[in-house]
């Protein structure tokens, strides 16, 4: 009996060690960052259901915790991706897009990501303003090599630290892209609860070369909604195509599908609204 109990306990521990997959597992791929130094890992969610031979695509940039579940327990692969990244990857696949989640931390030695408290101690190798935009454009270049992707219809989405990287990536002044236009770069981008200070690089405003939409909550514990409001205001004063939507009472990670976030009514409402807006926004940019 004791052996049976031990086996059962071990099985339960194994189950608890990683989140259950949502739908088919994505394919793991590798490709170079546009930094010319790093080989990145990506997880490709292929279109689900009827789709064109060449599908539009979405590049997804993870936040400071990395792409994997906090329960990964040292196993960092497609089976331990966080629930949020799985949810969005399959959501875009269900819209007929190919989605790729870029792991920019694992290949640099930080697969477990970082805590909110260690921001000032993070290495420059994962700098969201200077380095991570090169990862986004590395993913874009990789997608351009695939014969199942419509190369001129690719969008970008990021969360938290990855959303800050998204803002920097979309700047018309980014050095990570030589020819900056929607046809050669991204058609548009979504930034969910980014840190908008951006290390002081865009105090005079951020002018994206394609439409950019930002979503934050007033109860965010990690970033300043006021900072985002100020950035968007100074940018829009220069005719920048950037908008901000602020959700009353919503926290950081408001779209995380776990109960700790979705049991908060303001988060559940923000998730429904932002998801609907995201689908409509990308459809207006990517679907013919």
């Amino acid at each position: 009996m004791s052996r049976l109990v031990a086996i059962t306990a071990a099985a339960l521990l194994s189950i608890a060690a990683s989140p259950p997959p949502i739908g088919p597992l994505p394919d793991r791929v590798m490709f170079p960052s546009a930094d010319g130094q790093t080989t990145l890992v990506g997880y490709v969610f292929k279109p689900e259901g009827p789709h064109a031979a060449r599908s539009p695509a979405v590049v997804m940039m993870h936040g400071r915790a990395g792409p994997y579940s906090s329960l990964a327990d040292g196993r960092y692969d497609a089976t331990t991706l966080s629930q949020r990244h799985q949810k969005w990857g399959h959501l875009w696949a269900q819209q007929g897009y190919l989605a790729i989640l870029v792991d920019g931390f694992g290949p640099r030695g930080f697969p477990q990501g970082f805590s909110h408290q260690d921001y000032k101690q993070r290495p420059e190798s994962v700098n969201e303003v200077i380095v991570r935009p090169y990862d986004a454009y590395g993913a874009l270049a990789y997608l351009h090599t695939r014969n199942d992707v419509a190369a001129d219809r690719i969008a970008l989405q990021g969360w938290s630290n990855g959303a800050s990287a998204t803002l920097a990536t979309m700047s018309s002044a980014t050095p990570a892209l030589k020819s900056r236009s929607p046809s050669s770069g991204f058609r548009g981008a979504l930034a969910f609860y980014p840190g908008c200070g951006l290390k002081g690089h865009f105090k005079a405003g951020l002018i994206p070369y394609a439409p950019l939409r930002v979503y934050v909550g007033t109860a965010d514990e990690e970033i300043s909604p006021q900072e985002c409001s100020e950035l968007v205001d100074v940018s829009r004063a220069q005719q920048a195509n950037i908008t901000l939507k602020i959700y009353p009472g919503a926290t950081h990670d408001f779209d995380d599908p776990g109960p700790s976030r979705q049991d908060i009514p303001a988060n559940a409402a923000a998730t429904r609204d932002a998801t609907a807006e995201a689908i409509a926004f990308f459809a207006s940019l990517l679907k013919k």
Side-chain angles (χ1 to χ4, degrees), residues 198 202-208 212 228-243:
L198 300 172
F202 296 96
K203 289 183 178 179
L206 189 155
I207 314 301
L212 179 56
C228 288
S229 182
E230 292 170 358
L231 174 66
V232 170
D233 285 347
V234 72
S235 302
R236 286 180 62 82
Q238 301 172 64
Q239 309 305 312
N241 191 346
I242 179 172
T243 64

Side-chain angles (χ1 to χ4, degrees), residues 95 98 131 150 161 163 167 195 212 230 258:
Q95 299 300 311
L98 181 147
V131 176
N161 183 272
L167 297 181
L212 179 56
E230 292 170 358

Side-chain angles (χ1 to χ4, degrees), residues 124-148:
E124 281 301 300
S125 63
V126 294
N127 186 306
E128 70 272 23
V129 180
I130 304 300
V131 176
R132 296 195 70 194
Y134 286 95
D135 295 352
Y137 287 113
L140 182 74
Y142 165 73
L143 292 176
H144 284 175
T145 69
R146 294 183 62 112
N147 60 13
D148 57 350

